[in-house]
Amino acid sequence: MKKILLVDDDKDFLIQKKFELEQEEYLVETCSESGEAIEHIKRFTPDLVILDLIMEEQDSGFVLSYLIKKENRELPIIMVTSVTQLTGIDFQAIMENEREWIKADIILTKPVRTDQLVSEIKRMVKD
Amino acid sequence: MNNLTEKIKALIVDDEKGMCLGTQRILGDFSFPIEELDTSVNFDVEYVCSGADFYKVIENKKYDLVVMDYKLPDANGLELLEYLNGKGADTGVLMITAYATFETAVKATKLGAYDFIAKPFSPDELKYSVMNLVKSILLSRNVRKFQEEKKRIRFEFVSVLSHELKSPLNALEGYIDMISRYHGKMDDSELKTYLERAKTRTVSMRKLVMDLLDLTRFESGARNRECVDIAFNELVSESLNNIREEINSRGIAVEAVFDAEYNIVADRTEIEMIVNNLISNSVKYNKQGGRVMIKTENKDGDLLCAVSDTGIGMTEQEQTRLFKDFSRIKNKDTENILGSGLGLSTINKIVSLYDGEITVNSKYGVGSTFTVRLKNIIKEVPNGN
């Protein structure tokens, strides 16, 4: 069973995505504080991390993905955010140079549809 | 005391070089204060002697002030003025001519020249006209800046507000989707948990909307303020009674210390909002079985009310953004506490109506004390304090 760690300070997002991904046969753990995520990853050794951009700080997600990739370059990261709706700033992680500074493999906009999330996970984490 | 200096970039346009040099010298030595802006003004003066040169320099540089001769050999002052207006330059124009007639004066002012002086003029006449013109330019620039700032703040507020409204909607939509898709795979207790969470988010969204209405009512000044006599101690007791149930269910001990009977003159709704908010926060953000202490005192006619709790407290960094709109401290301790992030920012605005201040003293994990100081609102202190 593939393991997924969800990091978000939005409790409802954690509850919903944990339940839904468990229905899709993933082993899911959640973490509501970005500061605890690195330790959580060491303990849980997930195959993929889903994290929110804005948590305690505006850029908590950026900082966290940077730290994750520094320790574990190959660990896939999906960043979810409603920041594009909030600020009108549009950014993506499609081009190599964008991934270089964003350090996430893909960015999805909230609300995230579960089927879309699952298809992205399947693409990044092969059984 | 003038803290700032504004250097006005001035251009003189006159075909008589002597006039240019004279005016340059007068303005170069001239400086005056604008008290409203806490600024003192001085000048950086250049000159050109023909219409052709005017067009050249105006292409490359922006001037705040143009002192312009109406009659130039190769151009007419009104043409230059029109050209300047066409460029949309934010430049004040003072028209000078030896051929001052009522007609040209009217034409020039219609085209946007601020003032008109006739040759020969004394240095004082020139200075007087220039001073008025510069004041008008700088004040209107300031008003514009203020309006733009207002627009920006409003935009920011609306952006954050829409985010705050969207996030409970996203959560609700998420639960609806999840339940309709997977309800066959949920047991009753799971289903109940999800419905309860959905309900909580609905309640918090309603709170946000209500708080928002309060905030806008106070901010817009649309509320009619009515200052009446208020027995402050009683008002505090009422406020405590309103949330007695929550106080009891969380086993919180409340102690209210009044060293006197406080009668104040203020708007009742405003004072209630301040007190209710502080007391409710001290309970909401407290620990199970914690304490709340309310202390009121008279400080030189000002009412000082401090509400302390033994709650979760805040880090220094968290305290810095406490009074901003929609600012909520998000961490494990607060994730189950409902709040809109508008309470303290609203109180802060109300307190400023009383020329007062609100301060916070907090230690993470230990507790917080919020102190409100309301200026000169104590009516009488019978105990002779």
Side-chain angles (χ1 to χ4, degrees), chain A residues 60-113:
Chain A
S60 293
F62 284 147
V63 175
L64 181 57
S65 23
Y66 173 81
L67 292 174
I68 294 173
K69 289 284 185 186
K70 209 170 93 180
E71 298 255 317
N72 193 342
R73 236 189 120 72
E74 302 308 318
L75 182 57
I77 297 176
I78 296 179
M79 189 182 281
V80 288
T81 178
S82 52
V83 75
T84 49
Q85 293 176 314
L86 175 59
T87 60
I89 299 167
D90 203 3
F91 58 83
Q92 293 179 311
I94 294 169
M95 307 300 289
E96 194 54 44
N97 63 343
E98 289 168 330
R99 274 204 290 273
E100 195 52 44
W101 75 268
I102 294 177
K103 304 285 182 202
D105 297 275
I106 186 167
I107 293 168
L108 299 177
T109 305
K110 277 184 176 181
V112 183
R113 291 198 331 271

Side-chain angles (χ1 to χ4, degrees), chain B residues 227-240:
Chain B
C227 284
V228 294
D229 289 0
I230 303 167
F232 186 73
N233 306 14
E234 260 173 49
L235 189 143
V236 171
S237 304
E238 279 166 25
S239 171
L240 283 168

Side-chain angles (χ1 to χ4, degrees), chain B residues 81-127:
Chain B
L81 188 56
E82 217 159 1
Y83 180 76
L84 210 53
N85 284 343
K87 277 172 69 85
D90 181 23
T91 306
V93 177
L94 180 63
M95 200 63 95
I96 297 172
T97 181
Y99 307 96
T101 64
F102 183 68
E103 198 192 353
T104 39
V106 169
K107 258 194 212 160
T109 41
K110 263 191 187 159
L111 279 170
Y114 180 84
D115 204 356
F116 201 92
I117 52 174
K119 278 182 191 173
F121 51 80
S122 72
D124 282 346
E125 277 174 311
L126 176 72
K127 282 185 196 170

Side-chain angles (χ1 to χ4, degrees), chain A residues 9-13 15-17 19-21 23-24 32-33 36 54-57 82-83 85-87 110-111 114-115, chain B residues 159-160 163 166-167 170-175 177-178 181-182 185-186 190 194 197 201 317 321 330-333 335-336:
Chain A
D9 60 352
D10 178 347
K11 192 177 171 178
D12 297 295
F13 185 82
I15 293 174
Q16 291 163 8
K17 296 305 157 198
F19 181 88
E20 290 169 353
L21 292 175
Q23 301 310 308
E24 304 294 330
S32 63
E33 278 182 54
E36 290 172 7
I54 301 178
M55 289 183 273
E56 297 86 357
E57 302 294 333
S82 52
V83 75
Q85 293 176 314
L86 175 59
T87 60
K110 277 184 176 181
T114 303
D115 48 355
Chain B
S159 308
V160 179
H163 176 72
K166 245 182 237 161
S167 104
N170 283 350
L172 286 176
E173 196 181 4
Y175 284 115
D177 285 349
M178 185 170 104
R181 190 165 168 172
Y182 296 106
K185 296 176 176 179
M186 285 175 191
E190 275 176 323
Y194 301 145
R197 277 302 303 174
R201 295 307 297 256
Q317 203 193 5
R321 47 174 194 237
K330 283 186 174 175
N331 55 40
K332 267 215 174 78
D333 299 325
E335 67 179 9
N336 290 319

Side-chain angles (χ1 to χ4, degrees), chain B residues 246-252 283 285-291 310:
Chain B
E246 198 181 347
I247 293 174
N248 292 341
S249 74
R250 304 201 54 214
I252 288 167
V283 174
Y285 296 98
N286 218 317
K287 293 170 186 156
Q288 190 74 22
R291 280 193 312 120
T310 55

